[in-house]
Amino acid sequence: MSEFVYEDSHQLRYTNRKYVPIKSIIESLQALEGVVEETPYVLNGLTQSDVITRVEIDIKSIAAGSLIEDFVVRYFFKSEEGFNGWVDKLRKQSGMEDGKKIVPILIGSTITAVALLGVVKALPSGTGGQATSTITGNNNVVLNFVGQNLDMDAETVEKVISDSIRNQKKLAENAVKLVKPGKLDDEAQIIIDGNDQLVITKDTIKSAPGVYEPPKPAEKIDKYDRTLVKIRGTDRDNYRRGWSVILPGIAEQRVKLQLDENIDLNELAARDMVYANVDVIFKFDKSLNDYKVVEIYMNSWDNSSQ
């Protein structure tokens, strides 16, 4: 059986009242491609199938002024029989007599939902208040629209989409770039396929970050070789408790120390300071918006140092 290709045309319309710079257009097109490339996996997830293998996107036309990007998507199915079975499944889910009529609607709404999920994922950790409420509200409208056409509730749709995305960080980055041209006009919104249910609202665009910044890892570990360690607390009977140190230039306040079991506790306890190979464990502190040292692990030390 040979691959079957389903081709369809769609449109993104930015309702900007002024011209959009070429750089912003290029970025939005590249971001659109990244968003669309996630949709085969989402569509498979929403229909509990694995018949779609990949997608290609080409730009059909670009109109200036109120920026309009017309594009063509080609979804590759494993076979024509697989496509027909998929359409029949959509017919049953949607309740439409002709399952093929729901396909372009599902594709357009899926692209919108994936883009909006990316905007949600792009919000900095801890963001709350009006920004989150605005974007979540917009997202729920689109999720409900997708769900209505698949006989699913919005919460299930959101979970399926989120679970289907291969790279959450990359999607967030693409979503931010996709909506960025709309930030050039306070009243601009993005309308997909001319459907008033598939809109990225002006308030969502305003609330979206201008640049995507990946979330900070909760914890990181840096290695330091032969660094000065000042010993402030000791326990000659325990490798894990009772030990504390200061690392000048790294941890100026006393911090917990754990020791490798190859270290002689009595010999180390007799020293006020040593040069050692250590792993410094940092945790991100939201109140400081920075990392702080929480623990140090000593792998070995130079017992010839004074």
Side-chain angles (χ1 to χ4, degrees):
M1 293 184 290
S2 58
E3 276 188 323
F4 177 81
V5 181
Y6 173 83
E7 184 172 298
D8 201 8
S9 295
H10 294 272
Q11 182 188 88
L12 254 67
R13 177 172 174 249
Y14 299 77
T15 62
N16 293 49
R17 294 165 294 184
K18 297 180 180 179
Y19 291 111
V20 178
I22 290 175
K23 182 179 179 181
S24 293
I25 295 174
I26 292 172
E27 282 189 346
S28 74
L29 291 173
Q30 291 173 331
L32 173 62
E33 182 178 36
V35 168
V36 171
E37 285 177 346
E38 293 291 346
T39 59
Y41 310 96
V42 174
L43 289 168
N44 279 337
L46 290 171
T47 55
Q48 296 183 336
S49 60
D50 64 348
V51 292
I52 307 173
T53 59
R54 59 193 171 97
V55 65
E56 291 180 353
I57 175 173
D58 287 325
I59 300 304
K60 193 174 181 180
S61 64
I62 301 174
S66 180
L67 176 61
I68 297 174
E69 298 175 355
D70 289 310
F71 59 98
V72 175
V73 290
R74 284 185 292 276
Y75 286 92
F76 291 78
F77 288 77
K78 292 180 179 179
S79 66
E80 186 171 3
E81 289 80 1
F83 171 74
N84 290 333
W86 186 72
V87 169
D88 190 55
K89 183 177 287 189
L90 285 178
R91 179 184 62 78
K92 293 174 182 176
Q93 282 185 264
S94 65
M96 282 192 175
E97 188 174 335
D98 184 356
K100 287 185 179 180
K101 288 185 178 179
I102 194 64
V103 176
I105 298 172
L106 179 60
I107 290 172
S109 59
T110 297
I111 291 170
T112 312
V114 170
L116 273 169
L117 179 66
V119 175
V120 172
K121 299 289 186 183
L123 289 172
S125 178
T127 300
Q130 188 60 43
T132 300
S133 176
T134 295
I135 297 173
T136 300
N138 190 178
N139 191 33
N140 285 340
V141 170
V142 176
L143 293 173
N144 275 306
F145 182 78
V146 176
Q148 288 167 10
N149 288 301
L150 293 174
D151 193 26
M152 298 167 66
D153 59 68
E155 291 78 10
T156 301
V157 172
E158 183 173 32
K159 186 178 187 310
V160 170
I161 293 175
S162 184
D163 290 347
S164 301
I165 300 302
R166 297 170 299 170
N167 189 326
Q168 305 272 350
K169 291 181 181 179
K170 190 64 179 176
L171 174 63
E173 181 181 1
N174 282 322
V176 166
K177 290 180 180 178
L178 185 67
V179 304
K180 195 171 182 178
K183 284 185 168 291
L184 301 172
D185 186 329
D186 287 342
E187 296 300 314
Q189 56 185 6
I190 303 171
I191 304 171
I192 292 82
D193 293 342
N195 190 323
D196 60 7
Q197 296 293 305
L198 304 181
V199 176
I200 300 177
T201 67
K202 65 180 182 181
D203 292 327
T204 289
I205 293 171
K206 289 177 186 176
S207 299
V211 177
Y212 172 64
E213 294 185 6
K216 301 283 188 182
E219 182 177 290
K220 68 174 185 175
I221 299 175
D222 288 347
K223 293 182 177 295
Y224 293 86
D225 292 333
R226 207 174 188 280
T227 192
L228 179 62
V229 178
K230 295 183 177 181
I231 300 171
R232 291 292 183 264
T234 63
D235 185 338
R236 296 171 185 267
D237 299 314
N238 201 301
Y239 286 90
R240 298 288 177 263
R241 295 194 304 272
W243 293 85
S244 61
V245 295
I246 290 174
L247 269 64
I250 302 169
E252 300 291 351
Q253 301 294 323
R254 183 181 295 204
V255 65
K256 179 182 177 182
L257 174 71
Q258 290 197 41
L259 301 168
D260 187 272
E261 293 185 0
N262 291 317
I263 292 175
D264 187 313
L265 299 180
N266 289 310
E267 189 176 359
L268 182 63
R271 303 296 183 99
D272 292 328
M273 61 181 69
V274 297
Y275 286 93
N277 300 323
V278 298
D279 295 339
V280 180
I281 302 167
F282 298 82
K283 285 193 176 178
F284 189 74
D285 188 320
K286 290 182 181 179
S287 64
L288 300 174
N289 194 33
D290 200 358
Y291 288 95
K292 60 184 290 188
V293 180
V294 294
E295 193 173 348
I296 293 168
Y297 186 90
M298 184 183 291
N299 298 290
S300 61
W301 65 285
D302 183 359
N303 57 12
S304 65
S305 62
Q306 300 297 323

